[in-house]
Amino acid sequence: MNDMTHMRREVLEIPDAAARLLDGSGKILAEAGADIRRRNPHFVVTVARGSSDHAASFLKYAIELTAGIPVASVGPSIASIYGAKLRLAGTVCLSISQSGKSPDIVAMSKQARAGGALTVALTNTPDSPLARSADYAIDILAGPERSVAATKSFVNSAVAGLALMAHCTEDDGLLAALIRLPEQLREAVGCDWMEIAEALEDEQSLFILGRGPSYAIASEAALKFKETCGMHAEAYSAAEVMHGPLALVGPGFPVLALAARDASEASVAETADALAGKGAATFATSLRTGQARKLPHVATGHPLTDPLPLIVSFYAFVEAFARHRGLNPDEPRNLRKVTETR
């Protein structure tokens, strides 16, 4: 494959897409954030699937860490299949969908609004049914995404959620970190992780580790391995992998530890070294490791933005690794761009 893939092109667009979001949707993000602050909700529920659900998981940690508001994921089928009515007065419902068209996501957003929740939708399609169902429809402005594997829409969903909470909590430090982020994402695209490829050549599976917000990033990375490389990958919290999953680890078993510069970094680095000590081929985005091999990474200076350059560097790697394996990451087997579940 000599031509640039859609996926590679879209990874390169991530920095500009993030800057476009912060500029173009800044006003409504500020308005929605201020409304959440005024309402002082008891808790937040998220509604999403696939990569969007990984963005929701990332934002769960961000919301709990910044605002102290508990966050729970609600299965869309609660409304679309089971027809249950949730009592959501005094809450916020945050729905995330690239297309905004999936009937079950839309049904849950509508049901949440009817149940008393303030509804906020993050979508890349501003005239979609999901956008029309919400009190606040945030256009993430990622631009058209042609690759089946979502990249820039995932990052922009996470950035939009961080901006929403920065406005909600009046966190000037986080807002300043978001302004710096596009250039840091541009630097992250250039981080070369292809040294991982040799460790994966004869393997059929790997672990991807994180903790806190970076655990959500690990989940997204594991999905992308399956989608683009036809390779099984499992995401684990660095706090959990040393229990039952450890039984699968033997000499040469590949492990990618995604450590952000936050309160969890030391524990992720410690786990990476422990697995390397058992013979695993372990790679980590931390300078704190002793035995695990260190990967180049971009530090942002803020614990909540720091995980996002990691997924950008990973996207650049996994696209290149798919091509290395003779696969077209734009055309994963059995998949299509939009899946509308009911």
Side-chain angles (χ1 to χ4, degrees):
M1 184 186 304
N2 296 320
D3 295 335
M4 184 182 292
T5 65
H6 294 313
M7 184 178 181
R8 175 64 180 174
R9 187 176 297 108
E10 287 158 9
V11 171
L12 292 172
E13 291 171 3
I14 287 173
D16 289 338
R20 184 166 58 243
L21 161 69
L22 293 169
D23 181 48
S25 290
K27 182 179 178 181
I28 191 170
L29 284 164
E31 291 174 356
D35 197 0
I36 294 171
R37 183 173 65 253
R38 286 192 297 269
R39 292 171 184 254
N40 191 24
H42 304 305
F43 61 91
V44 173
V45 296
T46 62
V47 184
R49 291 197 186 279
S51 287
S52 294
D53 196 39
H54 299 152
S57 296
F58 175 80
L59 294 174
K60 166 186 166 65
Y61 285 102
I63 293 166
E64 291 175 348
L65 289 169
T66 59
I69 304 173
V71 181
S73 172
V74 175
S77 59
I78 289 294
S80 64
I81 297 295
Y82 296 102
K85 300 185 185 303
L86 301 181
R87 297 189 297 272
L88 294 174
T91 73
V92 172
C93 176
L94 178 63
S95 300
I96 308 175
S97 171
Q98 299 156 36
S99 71
K101 298 176 182 177
S102 192
D104 56 348
I105 305 290
V106 175
M108 189 66 242
S109 177
K110 289 180 177 178
Q111 201 274 348
R113 193 174 186 181
L118 174 71
T119 53
V120 179
L122 304 181
T123 177
N124 202 30
T125 313
D127 60 348
S128 63
L130 180 62
R132 293 193 295 270
S133 77
D135 294 300
Y136 291 98
I138 312 297
D139 185 354
I140 65 170
L141 293 169
E145 197 170 52
R146 298 178 64 187
S147 177
V148 170
T151 53
K152 57 181 181 172
S153 60
F154 170 84
V155 174
N156 271 28
S157 294
V159 171
L162 288 181
L164 182 70
M165 295 317 300
H167 288 296
C168 172
T169 59
E170 300 180 294
D171 187 337
D172 291 337
L174 180 53
L175 286 171
L178 288 168
I179 291 171
R180 297 191 300 268
L181 186 60
E183 284 308 309
Q184 294 164 339
L185 297 179
R186 197 177 311 280
E187 185 180 351
V189 175
C191 289
D192 185 357
W193 289 9
M194 277 302 286
E195 65 176 291
I196 303 173
E198 183 178 353
L200 298 176
E201 288 292 349
D202 299 319
E203 300 292 335
Q204 299 300 316
S205 185
L206 74 152
F207 288 166
I208 306 181
L209 311 182
R211 194 165 185 184
S214 69
Y215 172 60
I217 300 301
S219 297
E220 168 66 3
L223 175 62
K224 289 300 179 286
F225 257 115
K226 297 166 188 171
E227 285 180 332
T228 65
C229 299
M231 186 172 185
H232 180 258
E234 199 71 32
Y236 285 105
S237 164
E240 297 292 338
V241 73
M242 299 304 288
H243 298 280
L246 188 61
L248 296 177
V249 175
F253 186 88
V255 177
L256 172 59
L258 298 177
R261 268 114 309 273
D262 66 6
S264 73
E265 182 180 8
S267 67
V268 176
E270 181 181 356
T271 298
D273 278 342
L275 292 171
K278 296 184 182 301
T282 307
F283 302 84
T285 58
S286 176
L287 299 178
R288 298 191 183 191
T289 57
Q291 297 188 63
R293 284 175 271 184
K294 298 175 178 64
L295 291 172
H297 57 274
V298 175
T300 69
H302 193 287
L304 286 177
T305 58
D306 208 82
L308 296 178
L310 300 181
I311 196 60
V312 173
S313 297
F314 172 81
Y315 285 153
F317 158 70
V318 82
E319 186 274 343
F321 183 62
R323 290 187 290 105
H324 174 77
R325 286 169 64 92
L327 300 172
N328 181 351
D330 292 335
E331 298 180 0
R333 185 174 61 185
N334 301 328
L335 299 180
R336 58 180 179 172
K337 182 61 184 172
V338 177
T339 301
E340 297 184 5
T341 49
R342 297 185 183 274

